[in-house]
Amino acid sequence: MCGIIGYAGYRDVVSVILNGLTKLEYRGYDSAGIAIRDDNQIKIYKTLGKLINLKNELEANRADIKNPTSGIGHIRWATHGSPSIVNAHPHTCTCGSLVVVHNGIIENYKQLREVLINKGCKFKSQTDTEVIAHLVADEYGQTKDLEKAVRNSVKKLQGAYAVCVMHKKAPDLIVGARKHAPMLIGVGDGENFIASDTPAIIEYTKKTIYLEDNEIAVVTKDKVKITDVDGNEVNKKVEILPWEPVALSKLGYKHFMLKEIHEQPDVIRNVLNGKLYDIEQPIILGEVKLNNDILKKLNKIQIIACGTSLHAALVGKYLIEDFSGISVEVEASSEYIYRKSTTDSSTLVIGVSQSGETADTITAIKQAKEKNAHVLIITNRPDSNMARLADSLIPLNAGIEVSVAATKSYTAQLISFYLLAIYLAEIKNSLEQSYLQNIKHELVQLPAKIESVLADTSVIQACARKFSSFKNFIYIARGINLATALEGALKLKEISYINATGYAAGELKHGPIAMLDETMPVLSIMIPGGITYEKVLSNCEEAKARNAKLIALTSSTDEKLDNIFDVVLRIPHVPEILSPAITCVPLQLLAYYIAEFLGKDVDQPRNLAKSVTVE
Ligand code: F6R
């Protein structure tokens, strides 16, 4: 993970870099650092913890920074070496003339380190990144040309990298390189930028050049040159970012997560907008290019994703199989990569990713493309590396999600899967029109129903208060809400650090029931009218008989439930098939309020990052 920004230009270098790092904070936040060229010296400042510490450090040292003209900054998510000042970037060579920031993992760093130590290099940190500093410095010693030194060095690196390098003797020159990690150039007038992601530069320029793997960028305030690793100049297209800078504001909410949970009704309206405009008309998915040739040979769909997006994929499988009869496999991207998959040219491969930058999913999608599968990407970032691999695209239009725990992007992914499943059913003519129209009608009603859940969260808050001291939870459900149980448990784990596990309710008696006693609350998702409602209720009775505390999440108005369960979280009536798009909301809120009562850092939970760009 980690975020990088480099800047050469006329603006206040420190402010541009700190501002850029603020926009990249979602990529990591365990330490940060900056190297600034100032009066022909390179000055380095590093701090441990959140970016605010670096801001304070620079504020305190502002008087020492006189005429900064360029610089590079980094926000870290530790991979090699614990979070510490010494491991924070920028890293330097032995004499301190060369500085490097890096995002990625250098797999052969141990071998390189040994070679460089034998050449007399003095290592200070435990990071893999430091080898890059020594390696480029070593090459620079021979070539006296920073661009050439970077080119020669990256040829020796194995793994993933986006790097920016500056050298004391190469005034205002920043050399960047990338392989399997995102990097782009922001092109300005009398100023240029290098960054991991567009939010870092959008405030200053919309002109962007996306670097591809094995490309090198040579950037000064007046020049941008892109070459391949052999130094051949590459003609790159300057793309214009299609969006405006957004002010990242909590709009009065205590946390971004709470704000984003409350945005979900509008997010759903946005996803539906232009795709479902009349329940009697077919769904329109403008950027889905499944032509007749592809559809004729299509015999299987594979959905690849990680984390919360993987849970959305599980709902997607259920819907597509149910609506269209097409068989669907769901696989974690990290598993797909390392096995012999059955993907071929008759497979539709769907990659789901909020960020569009998840390294495992990108690698899996590239493999699927090599096998000639048609690739459909569902992402909140149509400007991402993953989207640029897509044959077909469903943009989520959920707006920037700041909180590390995904909420509104999950709902947007679910709604996209409803639309896609209906779209495929309409093409295949696999369902009665009246059934499809009813589903469409219910989809349109969903935002208002979620609004009613959000309008009064008092029962959820009371439940959170009552259960916040428990150390373990089990979430159960069957059928389409099994994914909701998994996702609800994941939300609780990631922001409150409470151990929560989702199970298929029917699996409880095959092992997990052994853990049940008064210390293990069981939360069950039960939608009346659904085929498994009574079965899940029986599973809850079995849990109660083992003294487990019970929480129900249901649309049932049956008062008898209040005698069986310790807490009943009620949602408006919705057909079971549509329910995952609303059952997720009280579970997001429950996780949020528990974490909040426990005083956790809700928006930036420990050890996590919003964009997981390492495998
Ligand atoms: C959980 C969460 C993660 C991500 C996962 C995949 O709240 O956010 O589990 O879902 O890292 O990320 P994307 O969707 O960006 O590929």
Side-chain angles (χ1 to χ4, degrees):
M1 277 88 86
C2 309
I4 290 176
I5 173 148
Y7 176 71
Y10 58 86
R11 293 178 208 257
D12 177 43
V13 175
V14 174
S15 306
V16 171
I17 293 179
L18 286 179
N19 195 15
L21 290 180
T22 307
K23 306 287 166 47
L24 297 174
E25 213 177 357
Y26 71 87
R27 302 178 70 86
Y29 36 77
D30 56 39
S31 55
I34 184 168
I36 309 153
R37 173 174 287 279
D38 183 35
D39 280 345
N40 272 332
Q41 290 180 54
I42 291 185
K43 295 178 180 164
I44 299 176
Y45 301 86
K46 303 195 216 184
T47 50
L48 187 59
K50 297 280 175 68
L51 189 59
I52 185 71
N53 299 340
L54 183 67
K55 289 181 178 167
N56 292 340
E57 173 83 359
L58 282 158
E59 201 49 54
N61 288 284
R62 204 61 206 218
D64 297 340
I65 304 167
K66 308 233 159 39
N67 299 303
T69 45
S70 58
I72 51 180
H74 185 268
I75 187 129
R76 181 167 187 246
W77 184 86
T79 56
H80 293 67
S82 60
S84 67
I85 294 204
V86 79
N87 288 335
H89 303 209
H91 289 283
T92 60
C93 61
T94 310
C95 71
S97 302
L98 183 138
V99 283
V100 166
V101 291
H102 164 229
N103 165 32
I105 290 178
I106 304 304
E107 284 161 6
N108 58 338
Y109 82 102
K110 283 193 181 135
Q111 298 91 305
L112 292 171
R113 194 176 158 114
E114 218 171 288
V115 173
L116 290 159
I117 286 173
N118 287 337
K119 285 187 169 189
C121 296
K122 301 266 178 294
F123 278 78
K124 298 174 278 290
S125 75
Q126 292 84 51
T127 64
D128 53 338
T129 301
E130 196 180 344
V131 296
I132 308 175
H134 293 288
L135 193 60
V136 182
D138 185 50
E139 290 287 342
Y140 185 82
Q142 297 161 44
T143 59
K144 303 287 180 248
D145 178 335
L146 189 59
E147 179 189 337
K148 214 182 239 172
V150 172
R151 284 207 311 266
N152 291 349
S153 301
V154 295
K155 286 182 185 164
K156 296 181 184 161
L157 301 179
Q158 285 165 18
Y161 54 80
V163 284
C164 279
V165 185
M166 293 201 314
H167 195 287
K168 209 164 144 182
K169 295 205 175 127
D172 292 330
L173 172 66
I174 305 172
V175 181
R178 76 153 268 184
K179 188 175 182 186
H180 305 322
M183 179 164 261
L184 53 90
I185 310 297
V187 182
D189 200 2
E191 60 177 351
N192 289 305
F193 306 76
I194 302 189
S196 303
D197 198 1
T198 46
I201 60 155
I202 183 88
E203 207 172 311
Y204 309 104
T205 180
K206 288 187 171 184
K207 291 190 203 159
T208 307
I209 298 171
Y210 290 95
L211 239 57
E212 301 296 334
D213 282 350
N214 300 312
E215 287 181 343
I216 313 285
V218 179
V219 174
T220 66
K221 71 180 176 43
D222 301 311
K223 186 181 86 176
V224 173
K225 182 180 87 174
I226 314 289
T227 71
D228 63 17
V229 270
D230 296 318
N232 303 308
E233 212 161 317
V234 185
N235 228 339
K236 300 285 289 187
K237 194 169 134 211
V238 178
E239 297 181 33
I240 306 296
L241 292 175
W243 45 286
E244 296 300 325
V246 277
L248 296 180
S249 153
K250 292 181 195 150
L251 295 178
Y253 289 96
K254 188 164 177 195
H255 294 100
F256 280 108
M257 181 175 176
L258 191 58
K259 171 180 164 253
E260 286 157 5
I261 290 172
H262 278 264
E263 281 171 355
Q264 292 178 110
D266 281 341
V267 166
I268 295 179
R269 290 185 184 106
N270 261 354
V271 183
L272 296 179
N273 189 17
K275 303 183 185 88
L276 193 179
Y277 64 98
D278 178 343
I279 63 165
E280 289 179 16
Q281 296 300 320
I283 296 291
I284 298 174
L285 296 177
E287 291 177 68
V288 172
K289 312 263 175 338
L290 289 171
N291 59 31
N292 281 342
D293 280 355
I294 301 168
L295 287 166
K296 235 186 270 160
K297 60 180 181 183
L298 177 68
N299 69 3
K300 180 177 65 185
I301 294 177
Q302 289 175 319
I303 316 181
I304 304 170
C306 305
T308 289
S309 299
L310 185 63
H311 298 152
L314 291 172
V315 177
K317 169 186 164 73
Y318 197 104
L319 294 172
I320 295 171
E321 289 188 342
D322 201 64
F323 288 5
S324 71
I326 304 171
S327 141
V328 182
E329 293 168 7
V330 172
E331 196 159 16
S333 316
S334 52
E335 291 301 316
Y336 178 92
I337 295 167
Y338 292 105
R339 71 179 189 91
K340 201 166 163 190
S341 78
T342 54
T343 310
D344 61 23
S345 63
S346 61
T347 318
L348 167 63
V349 172
I350 305 178
V352 192
S353 173
Q354 183 282 130
S355 64
E357 298 295 351
T358 301
D360 287 326
T361 310
I362 290 184
T363 306
I365 291 299
K366 283 182 179 164
Q367 288 182 3
K369 278 186 85 76
E370 275 163 22
K371 294 189 164 180
N372 298 319
H374 184 94
V375 165
L376 163 61
I377 299 294
I378 300 178
T379 182
N380 201 28
R381 295 295 302 273
D383 57 337
S384 62
N385 277 304
M386 210 180 295
R388 286 167 337 106
L389 294 170
D391 299 308
S392 289
L393 187 69
I394 302 186
L396 295 176
N397 299 326
I400 282 203
E401 192 175 61
V402 177
S403 174
V404 164
T407 53
K408 62 175 178 174
S409 62
Y410 177 68
T411 332
Q413 288 167 350
L414 294 187
I415 302 301
S416 302
F417 272 118
Y418 282 104
L419 294 175
L420 180 64
I422 300 172
Y423 173 86
L424 292 170
E426 283 173 338
I427 290 173
K428 290 194 66 131
N429 214 359
S430 50
L431 282 177
E432 292 286 329
Q433 268 310 312
S434 57
Y435 179 81
L436 284 178
Q437 281 177 16
N438 186 43
I439 295 287
K440 289 180 192 171
H441 171 76
E442 290 287 348
L443 270 175
V444 176
Q445 305 304 312
L446 261 177
K449 291 184 180 175
I450 294 177
E451 267 157 1
S452 79
V453 172
L454 295 169
D456 181 4
T457 59
S458 54
V459 180
I460 300 171
Q461 290 195 49
C463 179
R465 209 181 292 271
K466 187 169 176 167
F467 284 92
S468 59
S469 59
F470 284 82
K471 301 282 175 268
N472 297 289
F473 277 79
I474 285 179
Y475 284 48
I476 57 168
R478 288 179 81 153
I480 196 162
N481 272 306
L482 172 56
T484 316
L486 300 175
E487 174 58 10
L490 178 65
K491 284 286 92 81
L492 185 60
K493 263 191 286 233
E494 57 184 345
I495 60 170
S496 71
Y497 322 142
I498 291 172
N499 181 31
T501 313
Y503 289 109
E507 280 294 296
L508 206 59
K509 56 188 172 297
H510 297 290
I513 199 166
M515 295 188 297
L516 296 188
D517 61 17
E518 62 287 348
T519 66
M520 179 71 82
V522 175
L523 185 151
S524 60
I525 305 154
M526 313 180 320
I527 302 300
I531 42 179
T532 57
Y533 179 82
E534 295 298 336
K535 301 271 179 218
V536 178
L537 197 52
S538 310
N539 296 137
C540 293
E541 298 276 13
E542 286 155 18
K544 197 177 172 74
R546 272 88 190 166
N547 295 326
K549 299 259 177 297
L550 295 184
I551 305 169
L553 172 56
T554 183
S555 53
S556 166
T557 48
D558 184 352
E559 286 174 9
K560 279 203 291 283
L561 293 182
D562 298 282
N563 301 328
I564 303 170
F565 289 85
D566 294 273
V567 178
V568 181
L569 305 175
R570 287 199 162 86
I571 54 168
H573 170 74
V574 52
E576 187 181 33
I577 193 91
L578 260 301
S579 62
I582 186 165
T583 47
C584 62
V585 178
L587 299 187
Q588 294 165 348
L589 286 166
L590 184 64
Y592 171 80
Y593 284 117
I594 288 180
E596 218 248 315
F597 289 142
L598 295 175
K600 303 296 183 205
D601 189 346
V602 173
D603 283 335
Q604 294 185 332
R606 69 183 183 202
N607 305 341
L608 295 177
K610 186 85 187 143
S611 190
V612 186
T613 58
V614 290
E615 276 186 26

